Amino acid sequence: MEGSQPQPHAFQVYLRLRPPIHQSTTTTANEDTSFLTVIPPIPTFPVDDEVDNETKTQVTIHPPSNHRSQKIETFSFTEVFDEACGQAAVFGKIVSPILEGVLKDGRDGLLATLGVTGSGKTHTILGNRQTRGMTQMSLDVIFRSLSDRISRLSESQMDQCNDADADIMDVDAFMTKVTSIVEPHQIPKPNTFPTKPSVESQVVQVSGPASIKYAILMSIYEVYNDKIFDLLAPSTTTRRKALLFKSTKSSGDRKVVTGLRKVMVTDLYEALQVLGVGQYQRSHGETGSNDKSSRSHCFISLELKKLKKSKLDGSTKIKESTFTIVDLAGSERARNAKTAGDRLAEGGHINKSLMFLGQCLEMSTTQSLSQPSKIPYRQSKLTELLFTNSYNPAAEPQIAAIVVTADPAGDFNATSQMLKYSALAKSSVNPRPPTVMSGRSVSGSSLFSHFSVASGVSGATEEYRPDSSMSAMSALSVLSSPRAMLSQDMVNMIAFLQRQLRQADEKIKEAEKRVEEANARCLEVEMQVREEVTTEMEQRIRMMEKKMLLRLQDQAEQEEVHVDRKLDILKRTLMETNDENDRARDLEIEEYVRELEAENNSLRNEVQALKRKRANGESPLKERSLNRLKF
Ligand SMILES: Nc1ncnc2c1ncn2[C@@H]1O[C@H](COP(=O)(O)OP(=O)(O)OP(=O)(O)O)[C@@H](O)[C@H]1O
């Protein structure tokens, strides 16, 4: 499964310890000021032939007794080089494999040193008066390996491979130009560079027909206050022009430093001349921590142009590979460095860029190389320069190594901080207070002779008892004296701890399996309960529906009876109303009839009376009354 594979890391990260140089006047020869211990390789049980039992990969740091945290931390690296390791050993283990990749496979290579100020970064990269650094040894190996294949670029070839607006120059023209600006005596002479250690045995066999040639271009630049400056283009004015880091037409997605001066060199002597100019031009300064402290991140770039002539049309195909050597400025604490003004501002820029580098390194140990977008390397010029080409998706990733340098007797806080973000893995333990074990109290002198480990989820506790008679005090002195040789007892104890860890691991896995099974069972039960609840609910709903229907029917019937009753009342009321009306009308008619009859009677009487009067010959007035009656 892809996710479970260990992720490839952008860098191999090595740790190199600096030997003590100046014995403090207040420190006696026996007094041990070191807070750092290299853990001897743990023998594998049973002995595994494939495991390199000589390679040291871990260190522990023990805080000074007055430090607020007494946590003992362990850091893992690709390999740890102790104080006794010289330049040749470091070169052989770290740089030789990179050079093989560059010379044989045409890959890009990167070597960088990282560490607190004064921890030995520049010493590793450039050496000192007596010893060569990785740069001189690399140049020596490159020229020895390519010897009679070294060539110069023709004008047209220069145009062909100049993708970054570079100022490509022959070394003679370059030295003439430089010495017209800089006093020649100020530039370190190549013959003052040491010749030791020798690298004759490290020569890389380059295969292919002898017609394949190589041209070598050298450029040196620095990142100072987050700006890139060319160290091979000395200026007559104090104002230097910063260079751009960008992608060009021919470089595609890959970013390159544009406008750089690139000097064509054909042998070690010429290369050392160019290196001398770069070293002279680099920003240095005196600080409280280092009297010749690097105040910038210096990049030395060696471009190998592989020239292959076509037999068909005589044109030259150019394949490029670059080996970049980086001497980073050291992180520093202003209080220790006793800096002010420009130096303080430089220190701020240095620390900031190193903080970003730390973030990128930490993330690159947890991220897959296939997810480069998640590494925040665009935060500073330094991280962009270091990481952009490591993650170049268009090309094979470069072979990259970081050498973290540390002074075991230097600044504890700064060094532990540096180890924290550069280590490939880390763990820590807090010295434990007296513990109650198996019903017995373990305290004081027996704390170290009885070592307890809670094993796995069951909480069972196993005890470690040393085979030999190592006393609590001697165990204590081993733990507090990092430089002391670790006894067989300690090795046994570590092996015992490893066994315990393995057991705990197995128990954790078993417990995880059980939790998974329990989860599955829970899920099953949950499904069953859900089904039962659903069925019961459906039954209840059906019953409720039935009840509701019956109640509605009841209601409807009652309504009907109620309405019928109302209708009856209405009918009755109507009928009663009609009867009363009829009776009233009849009475009225009767009354009217009676009135009419009365009037009739009175009229009849009047007619009788008139008739009688007429018969008796009475007046016309009386006749008129008679007419009215006729009418
Ligand atoms: N492995 C070593 N063997 C011998 N001397 C060493 C070693 N490492 C460092 N030194 C010496 O320690 C001193 C400080 O080392 P160096 O200048 O390389 O530190 P640095 O990490 O580059 O510091 P800065 O970041 O301030 O430039 C120098 O005198 C150097 O020669």
Side-chain angles (χ1 to χ4, degrees), residues 187-320:
I187 302 167
K189 296 277 175 302
N191 52 13
T192 63
F193 282 109
T195 53
K196 292 265 181 277
S198 161
V199 285
E200 272 172 60
S201 60
Q202 313 268 358
V203 170
V204 178
Q205 295 304 324
V206 178
S207 56
S211 58
I212 293 180
K213 302 286 178 199
Y214 286 83
I216 298 175
L217 298 182
M218 223 175 144
S219 52
I220 307 178
Y221 50 95
E222 69 178 358
V223 177
Y224 178 78
N225 290 357
D226 208 37
K227 290 196 180 90
I228 304 170
F229 296 104
D230 194 341
L231 294 179
L232 297 185
S235 157
T236 41
T237 62
T238 48
R239 199 174 170 76
R240 297 191 292 169
K241 195 171 157 249
L243 301 176
L244 295 178
F245 182 56
K246 58 177 189 178
S247 41
T248 61
K249 257 187 210 159
S250 52
S251 73
D253 284 344
R254 192 183 162 116
K255 281 186 168 184
V256 286
V257 181
T258 54
L260 262 181
R261 176 163 293 165
K262 295 182 180 177
V263 183
M264 197 156 38
V265 286
T266 55
D267 62 28
L268 178 62
Y269 183 87
E270 290 175 357
L272 293 179
Q273 269 188 321
V274 178
L275 186 64
V277 175
Q279 266 183 274
Y280 168 72
Q281 287 288 311
R282 186 177 179 191
S283 306
H284 284 104
E286 192 178 332
T287 69
S289 313
N290 189 354
D291 51 10
K292 196 166 186 230
S293 179
S294 314
R295 308 307 293 164
S296 66
H297 309 299
C298 177
F299 286 69
I300 302 164
S301 167
L302 306 170
E303 285 175 43
L304 271 61
K305 311 280 184 193
K306 185 178 179 182
L307 312 170
K308 199 173 173 186
K309 225 176 185 162
S310 161
K311 281 182 189 153
L312 291 174
D313 58 4
S315 65
T316 307
K317 235 176 141 184
I318 304 178
K319 198 167 173 255
E320 303 176 350

Side-chain angles (χ1 to χ4, degrees), residues 326-599:
V326 189
D327 180 18
L328 294 174
S331 66
E332 64 190 35
R333 307 182 133 217
R335 195 170 34 149
N336 297 352
K338 298 186 183 74
T339 47
D342 282 355
R343 287 276 167 276
L344 187 64
E346 281 167 1
H349 277 286
I350 293 170
N351 287 346
K352 201 163 131 191
S353 58
L354 290 173
M355 184 190 76
F356 291 140
L357 175 59
Q359 284 174 3
C360 292
L361 281 178
E362 269 196 322
M363 285 196 73
S364 66
T365 52
T366 52
Q367 297 284 323
S368 149
L369 284 190
S370 58
Q371 293 178 305
S373 55
K374 296 204 172 148
I375 313 288
Y377 60 82
R378 294 192 201 283
Q379 297 177 105
S380 72
K381 280 279 159 351
L382 174 66
T383 46
E384 261 203 297
L385 282 165
L386 284 176
F387 279 78
T388 304
N389 297 337
S390 312
Y391 290 122
N392 179 15
E396 205 171 349
Q398 61 185 347
I399 325 160
I402 287 190
V403 183
V404 179
T405 52
D407 177 3
D411 182 304
F412 171 80
N413 287 323
T415 308
S416 66
Q417 198 60 32
M418 184 61 68
L419 297 181
K420 252 176 219 155
Y421 74 65
S422 58
L424 294 173
K426 48 204 162 232
S427 63
S428 65
V429 282
N430 262 322
R432 296 215 293 170
T435 322
V436 174
M437 236 173 33
S438 317
R440 261 176 319 120
S441 163
V442 179
S443 62
S445 65
S446 58
L447 181 61
F448 289 100
S449 54
H450 291 81
F451 197 88
S452 83
V453 182
S455 55
V457 286
S458 66
T461 306
E462 202 186 310
E463 284 178 42
Y464 169 74
R465 289 168 190 273
D467 298 337
S468 73
S469 56
M470 180 173 76
S471 70
M473 285 318 291
S474 64
L476 196 61
S477 70
V478 167
L479 289 176
S480 60
S481 168
R483 276 157 184 270
M485 285 294 292
L486 294 179
S487 69
Q488 185 57 40
D489 239 359
M490 283 298 273
V491 173
N492 288 348
M493 189 166 81
I494 291 166
F496 164 78
L497 282 174
Q498 272 195 323
R499 263 201 315 278
Q500 287 292 311
L501 276 176
R502 269 199 298 273
Q503 279 176 11
D505 239 17
E506 274 163 22
K507 284 194 174 150
I508 288 170
K509 272 188 202 134
E510 218 173 274
E512 279 173 351
K513 210 170 134 197
R514 265 191 256 141
V515 168
E516 254 173 46
E517 282 169 6
N519 276 343
R521 264 204 306 279
C522 276
L523 205 70
E524 223 171 84
V525 172
E526 193 186 317
M527 295 297 284
Q528 213 173 320
V529 170
R530 273 173 195 274
E531 246 169 60
E532 280 171 16
V533 168
T534 315
T535 320
E536 202 183 312
M537 286 291 282
E538 280 173 358
Q539 279 173 355
R540 278 196 194 177
I541 290 170
R542 269 199 298 275
M543 267 169 60
M544 277 164 66
E545 275 177 355
K546 234 186 227 173
K547 274 187 191 169
M548 191 80 118
L549 214 65
L550 286 173
R551 208 181 300 154
L552 282 174
Q553 275 174 355
D554 254 16
Q555 235 172 338
E557 275 169 20
Q558 279 172 16
E559 288 282 314
E560 220 171 292
V561 171
H562 185 68
V563 169
D564 280 355
R565 225 179 274 148
K566 272 191 163 180
L567 276 173
D568 274 354
I569 295 168
L570 203 66
K571 230 187 264 173
R572 263 200 314 277
T573 318
L574 267 174
M575 275 161 67
E576 277 168 15
T577 317
N578 282 346
D579 288 352
E580 269 172 33
N581 286 347
D582 286 352
R583 257 196 313 275
R585 212 179 315 126
D586 286 352
L587 284 174
E588 255 177 58
I589 292 170
E590 274 172 32
E591 179 72 28
Y592 188 50
V593 169
R594 263 195 307 275
E595 274 174 25
L596 285 178
E597 277 174 354
E599 200 176 284

